[in-house]
Amino acid sequence: MNELLEQFKHLLYVNHPKNVFLAVDYVCSNSPAQTYIHFYHSPIQEFKAQLYRLKYLISTKTLVNSVKVLRENVSFFSPSGQRETFLFNSVNGYSLQQRVENREASRSSGGKQKNPVCNTSSLKSLLTLAHQSEINLVLFTNPVHARYLTLDTELSLPGFGLLSNKKRTVEINLLVAEELNKQPFPFIDFMLINELTTESLDFTAAHEPIYWWESSHYKTILGDQVMNWLSNYPQHQQSNIGFPITASNVTQHLQQQTIQLEASNKAALHE
């Protein structure tokens, strides 16, 4: 979130946007403040950034990787910039089972969060800037597969998981709006328990899942539905894809999601 705030400031400086969609899957900024060399605040920082860029361009590794991409002739992105192909390799995994296990092992390796404090100053600053700049900001959470959501719930401290993070976001959004005498920004939850996020990740099947590369990264077909929902809000609302969260419904919404997640887990075990 610290870096996201810097990116937002850079966006305001370069080109004042009218509409911004902001993903708030995680909002805690517990890492120390850093100086990011890809945002120029001084001639020295710009020099350092250009030096890193030069080192990258003249490196042998860059040349080898570039040649490999040209030889494989793989297009990872569509002309509009959407990611269409996932990189299958020894790190990410070649098969669906390898990709899922690698990603979930990465989440598990960190264990339970040790810091019980959530620093939300960066998110507060970002929301304040958006209000002051009169930007139409829409907050949203990304879809996550139910099995990854279960893993996150088991490994997170109370109040720090992906599910409970939504309530914190609602509270911060409301607090900033009240301080500035504004209306809270819309907050759309796509991290639901539905037919999309409970799609079977069958490791024995010959075909790939429709919506998922693995349990935490969704494919373009689902991303298109998310963007279509956001782009047409509030006229276009499909409750099975997205759900608007407010201070008045967030508690009930989270309770219902917890029940749905437990039911989904039982159904998966039964299968």
Side-chain angles (χ1 to χ4, degrees), residues 144-153 162-163 191 193 261:
V144 175
H145 195 275
R147 62 177 287 153
Y148 190 88
L149 204 54
T150 300
L151 178 66
D152 177 82
T153 302
L162 285 168
L163 284 181
M191 198 182 295
I193 310 300
L261 185 59

Side-chain angles (χ1 to χ4, degrees), residues 93-107:
Y94 292 99
S95 67
L96 174 63
Q97 181 174 354
Q98 290 174 338
R99 299 197 307 268
V100 171
E101 291 178 349
N102 287 357
R103 181 58 183 169
E104 294 181 359
S106 176
R107 173 64 183 88

Side-chain angles (χ1 to χ4, degrees), residues 56-57 59-74 76 87 89:
Y56 169 77
L57 290 175
S59 70
T60 305
K61 185 177 180 180
T62 301
L63 176 61
V64 172
N65 289 338
S66 300
V67 172
K68 285 182 178 179
V69 170
L70 290 174
R71 291 181 61 185
E72 293 173 359
N73 193 28
V74 176
F76 294 111
L87 185 61
N89 56 31

Side-chain angles (χ1 to χ4, degrees), residues 216-231:
S216 66
H217 287 89
Y218 53 85
K219 294 184 178 180
T220 303
I221 186 173
L222 181 50
D224 286 343
Q225 293 185 49
V226 170
M227 288 306 301
N228 184 53
W229 207 105
L230 289 171
S231 300

Side-chain angles (χ1 to χ4, degrees), residues 74-271:
V74 176
S75 176
F76 294 111
F77 299 92
S78 70
S80 61
Q82 294 174 308
R83 183 66 179 263
E84 292 186 319
T85 304
F86 193 87
L87 185 61
F88 301 144
N89 56 31
S90 58
V91 177
N92 294 327
Y94 292 99
S95 67
L96 174 63
Q97 181 174 354
Q98 290 174 338
R99 299 197 307 268
V100 171
E101 291 178 349
N102 287 357
R103 181 58 183 169
E104 294 181 359
S106 176
R107 173 64 183 88
S108 302
S109 62
K112 283 186 175 290
Q113 182 178 351
K114 297 179 177 62
N115 191 344
V117 178
C118 178
N119 183 350
T120 58
S121 59
S122 291
L123 178 60
K124 291 176 183 176
S125 297
L126 195 154
L127 296 179
T128 300
L129 278 174
H131 279 299
Q132 293 173 341
S133 304
E134 298 184 346
I135 292 173
N136 297 321
L137 181 70
V138 178
L139 307 172
F140 73 98
T141 59
N142 280 294
V144 175
H145 195 275
R147 62 177 287 153
Y148 190 88
L149 204 54
T150 300
L151 178 66
D152 177 82
T153 302
E154 293 174 350
L155 294 176
S156 299
L157 287 174
F160 281 83
L162 285 168
L163 284 181
S164 53
N165 178 71
K166 301 173 189 179
K167 187 173 184 179
R168 179 181 285 108
T169 303
V170 168
E171 292 170 349
I172 297 170
N173 189 26
L174 180 61
L175 175 64
V176 172
E178 289 178 342
E179 289 177 350
L180 299 174
N181 196 25
K182 301 278 190 178
Q183 289 295 319
F185 291 116
F187 182 18
I188 313 302
D189 185 17
F190 295 100
M191 198 182 295
L192 305 179
I193 310 300
N194 53 31
E195 69 275 12
L196 305 178
T197 59
T198 57
E199 179 186 12
S200 175
L201 301 183
D202 187 354
F203 298 154
T204 63
H207 57 82
E208 280 276 322
I210 297 174
Y211 299 107
W212 302 93
W213 295 113
E214 28 82 359
S215 54
S216 66
H217 287 89
Y218 53 85
K219 294 184 178 180
T220 303
I221 186 173
L222 181 50
D224 286 343
Q225 293 185 49
V226 170
M227 288 306 301
N228 184 53
W229 207 105
L230 289 171
S231 300
N232 291 283
Y233 179 81
Q235 289 78 19
H236 177 70
Q237 295 190 21
Q238 292 178 260
S239 58
N240 64 320
I241 298 176
F243 181 81
I245 306 179
T246 65
S248 61
N249 68 17
V250 63
T251 300
Q252 181 180 0
H253 176 61
L254 292 179
Q255 290 174 345
Q256 182 179 2
Q257 281 198 295
T258 300
I259 295 172
Q260 291 175 329
L261 185 59
E262 292 175 353
S264 172
N265 292 336
K266 289 180 180 178
L269 288 173
H270 180 69
E271 291 177 0

